[in-house]
Amino acid sequence: MKKKKWTPFDIILTFFMLIVVVVTLYPFLNILAISFNDAVDTARGGIHIWPREFTLANYQEIFGSNDRLLQAFTMSVLRTVVGTVAGIIASTMLAYVLSRRDFVFNGLVGFLLVLTMFISGGLIPEYLLIRKLGLINEFGVYIWPMLLSAFNVIIIRSFMDNLPPALEESAKMDGANDFVIFLRIIIPLCLPVIATIALFLAVMQWNSWFDTYLYARGNEALTTLQFELMKIIDNANISSGDINNQNAQVIAGQTSPQSIKMAITIIATVPILAVYPFLQKYFVTGLTIGAVKS
Amino acid sequence: MGQVDSVQDTQQNLPESNSPLKTQVKPGLFSKNKKKAPKPPVHGGFWKRLSKQKALLCMSIPFVAWLIIFKYIPVAGWMMAFQDYKPQFGLFDQEWVGLKHFKDLFNEPMFYRALENTLGMGILGLVFGTLSAIAFALFLNELRFVALKKWTQTISYLPHFVSWVIVANIVITMLSTDGFINNFLEGVGLIDNPINFMAEPGLFWGIVTATDVWKETGWNAIIYLAAMAGVDPQLYEAAKVDGASRLRQMWHITLPSIRSVIIVLLILNIGNLINIGFEKQMLLGNNIVYEKSIVIDLYALDYGIGMFRYSFGTAIGIFKSVVSVILILICNGIAKRIGEGRVF
């Protein structure tokens, strides 16, 4: 590539991209700054990307003195870990069965799986099913309904399709059964795709709030960070329905000061930021592999 | 011409190969891979094979059971829409009422409001979502400053990974009367008094669309960028020889080259026009803007679960499914007619 001259076009493009970066990042930085700022001082406004009166009090409030928020944080972590592990076990097993073309029920299982991508019962039948299964206000409601997604299974299966079949055959010669092959040979080879799917599952579990809202509202122990945040928004929304908005803000402010709210937001965001570099690496390679394949 | 054809071929394959990114794009479990991996030779009869595959059978049974319970039983629940469902009885012991709930549905003014909001926000989201993603991909593709290109792209899909709860929280903070947007507008002298954005029904669609663009543009652009990476560099060389400017190259080479990708994604998204979900509307909405924020799923939630009208709520779900199937068939038909990439 020759070194090319910078035209006005390039300068405008660069400037435009910088604006995109600022517009994307500013809200996050602003929230970060407010979360580290003294709560009383924040009410004066005018905090941008740097805290004016630095304090850790907001985080201490969440992790030290507020039992419910601490519990919500623990529950968020717990459901993310359990949900991800369970989801990975289920999807890799099913994917392996589907990657075995010689399996007598391969066509049937594949059909049952793929069809779920096109049809769904909808909100009400699913709600009634969960209720019938006795999962309301149970931890299981975070795990069971989301155990499998046809989409993830198919991604893992197409990765397995690309593994050399000779490995499996030689293991079979040595007398290994299908389950042993799966555990000893297939799983170790599939680690890259498993990591990708695990990250997607973890993000999904961590970000979920609607299942808590719909199915687990009655059990305080099952509250999650996202749900606590959602409740704060909901309260603020209800009070902004008042005629006197100033008054509403005072009410909202009493239930949860702006700074605490922002600290919760940051705590609910940071795990995503922590996995982000890994996620990024994997889905970019995922893209390239996909492109090469086709 | 041979080169042009091959470029288009790779592009037609792109949505499939990029499928991890877009849940709507499904890799063909049956069509595509069976060609590649023919069934291995079969040894022995059905029972003999089955007895050798006990491990596989054991590994699949729990998940088939899961699929039937969690995916197929709810579909069977569609029967409720044609019954007067009472929770104390089983699904087969209900009173059948035919299309009563559908008639009720079409007689409710609130349903039309929800439909209007769903389609309104859906179309706005589709138009601006697609345009912003294509524009962003085009500009990023042209950017010379490689480090900035990488950073911009990485940063641009950050909002995709945070939940709508967090995004709603951010948006409400930014748009509050003492939030950044009001401060900014006052600062540059555009307004004298702060606007209470979240309490203006007329602005609600716009706020939802803008938020959607902010959250998803970077992510949606990935697929277009991948398609652009597949464009034959010789086409650009040829255009340069002919004296085409960068803008003209974007317009006459890059855009036409990714046309089939754009059309496939549009078809898929139009099929989902009615399935825009409810998260943003539920989290960003409030009592004042209710008339503009209620969407079909929220309507089903409020009336179906909130008021225990289960049959009625199920009828809403069926209506949605039927509309989305019709939409996707129409779009697919149009795409077929004009000879462009299509989904099936």
Side-chain angles (χ1 to χ4, degrees):
Chain A
M1 264 263 211
K2 276 181 290 177
K3 188 102 180 154
K4 285 165 200 155
K5 244 179 67 186
W6 276 60
T7 59
F9 182 69
D10 290 310
I11 293 163
I12 293 168
L13 271 183
T14 309
F15 187 68
F16 175 78
M17 285 303 160
L18 285 174
I19 291 176
V20 171
V21 170
V22 169
V23 168
T24 312
L25 280 187
Y26 177 83
F28 290 108
L29 294 175
N30 183 234
I31 281 169
L32 189 65
I34 293 174
S35 79
F36 279 116
N37 200 54
D38 181 70
V40 180
D41 179 64
T42 301
R44 280 171 48 214
I47 311 275
H48 292 291
I49 60 167
W50 206 251
R52 195 163 44 212
E53 284 183 27
F54 183 86
T55 174
L56 291 173
N58 304 313
Y59 290 93
Q60 273 160 4
E61 163 85 24
I62 293 167
F63 286 115
S65 45
N66 194 324
D67 285 345
R68 205 189 42 202
L69 288 177
L70 188 63
Q71 195 180 27
F73 177 76
T74 322
M75 183 49 66
S76 284
V77 173
L78 186 67
R79 73 170 288 182
T80 303
V81 172
V82 177
T84 307
V85 171
I88 282 299
I89 294 172
S91 2
T92 45
M93 266 202 190
L94 191 56
Y96 175 63
V97 173
L98 286 173
S99 76
R100 285 287 303 270
R101 310 281 156 174
D102 57 332
F103 178 46
V104 282
F105 294 120
N106 187 300
L108 179 69
V109 176
F111 177 75
L112 282 175
L113 182 78
V114 172
L115 197 61
T116 63
M117 299 204 294
F118 300 96
I119 57 165
S120 96
L123 194 62
I124 312 275
E126 272 165 27
Y127 173 79
L128 290 175
L129 173 75
I130 301 288
R131 231 178 49 173
K132 274 264 156 61
L133 292 174
L135 286 173
I136 300 279
N137 293 330
E138 296 288 336
F139 181 70
V141 82
Y142 291 151
I143 310 301
W144 290 110
M146 292 194 257
L147 190 65
L148 274 175
S149 112
F151 191 72
N152 291 345
V153 174
I154 287 168
I155 293 173
I156 302 175
R157 197 217 51 172
S158 45
F159 189 91
M160 288 174 177
D161 279 346
N162 288 347
L163 298 175
L167 283 170
E168 233 173 278
E169 276 154 28
S170 65
K172 230 177 265 178
M173 297 283 189
D174 296 341
N177 75 23
D178 291 324
F179 189 72
V180 174
I181 294 173
F182 167 70
L183 221 55
R184 293 276 166 78
I185 296 171
I186 304 295
I187 291 284
L189 289 173
C190 284
L191 284 181
V193 71
I194 289 176
T196 316
I197 299 297
L199 288 165
F200 278 114
L201 286 175
V203 169
M204 181 195 71
Q205 282 280 358
W206 181 264
N207 282 343
S208 289
W209 60 274
F210 188 67
D211 46 6
T212 318
Y213 174 84
L214 203 55
Y215 303 126
R217 244 187 303 187
N219 188 348
E220 191 119 299
L222 290 178
T223 191
T224 60
L225 217 48
Q226 303 280 348
F227 183 61
E228 287 301 318
L229 201 54
M230 182 264 167
K231 279 201 291 193
I232 294 172
I233 296 177
D234 219 30
N235 282 340
N237 280 355
I238 289 164
S239 38
S240 72
D242 288 352
I243 306 149
N244 188 340
N245 192 52
Q246 224 60 35
N247 206 10
Q249 277 181 346
V250 172
I251 298 165
Q254 275 164 356
T255 47
S256 165
Q258 184 81 340
S259 303
I260 299 284
K261 185 168 127 186
M262 294 312 160
I264 304 176
T265 310
I266 291 298
I267 296 169
T269 315
V270 160
I272 301 288
L273 294 184
V275 298
Y276 196 59
F278 303 98
L279 200 68
Q280 148 104 355
K281 192 180 107 197
Y282 278 116
F283 64 64
V284 170
T285 37
L287 256 179
T288 3
I289 290 167
V292 169
K293 241 185 81 185
S294 75
Chain B
M1 264 325 270
Q3 265 152 357
V4 179
D5 284 342
S6 71
V7 167
Q8 274 169 355
D9 280 346
T10 39
Q11 274 150 12
Q12 253 143 25
N13 286 331
L14 262 169
E16 283 199 344
S17 55
N18 294 334
S19 51
L21 309 171
K22 272 266 165 187
T23 33
Q24 303 101 310
V25 195
K26 287 118 193 167
L29 183 68
F30 301 111
S31 54
K32 197 180 154 206
N33 289 301
K34 270 206 175 147
K35 261 180 262 157
K36 221 190 302 177
K39 276 202 171 176
V42 175
H43 304 291
F46 177 82
W47 293 109
K48 199 177 165 201
R49 278 163 65 210
L50 189 62
S51 70
K52 274 188 188 161
Q53 295 175 337
K54 274 189 221 103
L56 289 178
L57 198 64
C58 291
M59 282 165 81
S60 59
I61 284 173
F63 304 116
V64 171
W66 184 92
L67 285 171
I68 289 168
I69 294 170
F70 282 93
K71 296 290 173 183
Y72 289 97
I73 289 181
V75 176
W78 275 22
M79 285 197 300
M80 274 191 296
F82 308 96
Q83 304 168 330
D84 253 338
Y85 183 79
K86 294 196 177 61
Q88 61 268 35
F89 303 120
L91 198 56
F92 297 94
D93 311 321
Q94 306 283 343
E95 187 194 338
W96 292 87
V97 294
L99 295 174
K100 173 174 164 260
H101 295 291
F102 289 93
K103 281 179 197 146
D104 285 355
L105 184 63
F106 294 125
N107 283 328
E108 290 234 18
M110 200 46 128
F111 165 70
Y112 292 99
R113 184 148 294 149
L115 187 62
E116 184 191 328
N117 289 335
T118 308
L119 293 177
M121 279 182 260
I123 291 169
L124 279 179
L126 182 64
V127 171
F128 286 99
T130 308
L131 285 180
S132 66
I134 294 173
F136 180 63
L138 269 179
F139 292 146
L140 204 62
N141 195 42
E142 287 291 326
L143 198 63
R144 287 271 176 80
F145 193 174
V146 180
L148 180 68
K149 190 171 171 173
K150 256 172 120 180
W151 275 95
T152 314
Q153 206 189 348
T154 307
I155 289 167
S156 73
Y157 30 68
L158 174 62
H160 170 82
F161 288 102
V162 299
S163 70
W164 268 107
V165 175
I166 290 169
V167 172
N169 199 6
I170 289 173
V171 169
I172 291 168
T173 309
M174 292 290 140
L175 291 179
S176 68
T177 40
D178 53 1
F180 174 75
I181 303 287
N182 268 311
N183 283 342
F184 178 78
L185 291 177
E186 280 177 296
V188 295
L190 275 172
I191 53 171
D192 294 327
N193 289 311
I195 303 169
N196 192 356
F197 288 99
M198 301 316 292
E200 292 283 343
L203 294 177
F204 189 76
W205 288 12
I207 291 172
V208 166
T209 308
T211 309
D212 224 11
V213 167
W214 180 76
K215 193 175 187 292
E216 304 295 344
T217 294
W219 184 252
N220 292 339
I222 292 179
I223 198 156
Y224 298 114
L225 277 167
M228 287 173 193
V231 179
D232 191 342
Q234 290 189 10
L235 291 175
Y236 292 108
E237 295 296 330
K240 245 178 266 170
V241 173
D242 289 344
S245 70
R246 299 264 292 279
L247 272 174
R248 289 192 80 92
Q249 289 175 31
M250 275 160 76
W251 187 255
H252 290 292
I253 296 173
T254 316
L255 271 182
S257 303
I258 64 166
R259 192 169 58 186
S260 48
V261 175
I262 297 174
I263 288 174
V264 168
L265 288 180
L266 266 182
I267 292 173
L268 289 167
N269 291 333
I270 289 172
N272 278 320
L273 209 50
I274 201 156
N275 298 319
I276 60 166
F278 55 86
E279 276 193 274
K280 11 185 180 188
Q281 287 80 9
M282 186 169 172
L283 293 166
L284 290 170
N286 55 50
N287 295 337
I288 304 177
V289 297
Y290 187 75
E291 301 249 299
K292 285 287 176 187
S293 71
I294 178 116
V295 286
I296 295 217
D297 282 316
L298 276 184
Y299 180 66
L301 190 66
D302 286 353
Y303 285 69
I305 296 177
M307 296 182 182
F308 305 106
R309 293 170 69 182
Y310 297 129
S311 292
F312 185 70
T314 309
I316 301 174
I318 295 177
F319 169 81
K320 260 183 53 178
S321 299
V322 170
V323 170
S324 100
V325 168
I326 292 172
L327 283 175
I328 201 156
L329 286 179
I330 291 174
C331 292
N332 203 46
I334 294 172
K336 211 184 275 184
R337 185 76 50 84
I338 59 173
E340 278 298 342
R342 56 180 192 272
V343 185
F344 49 82

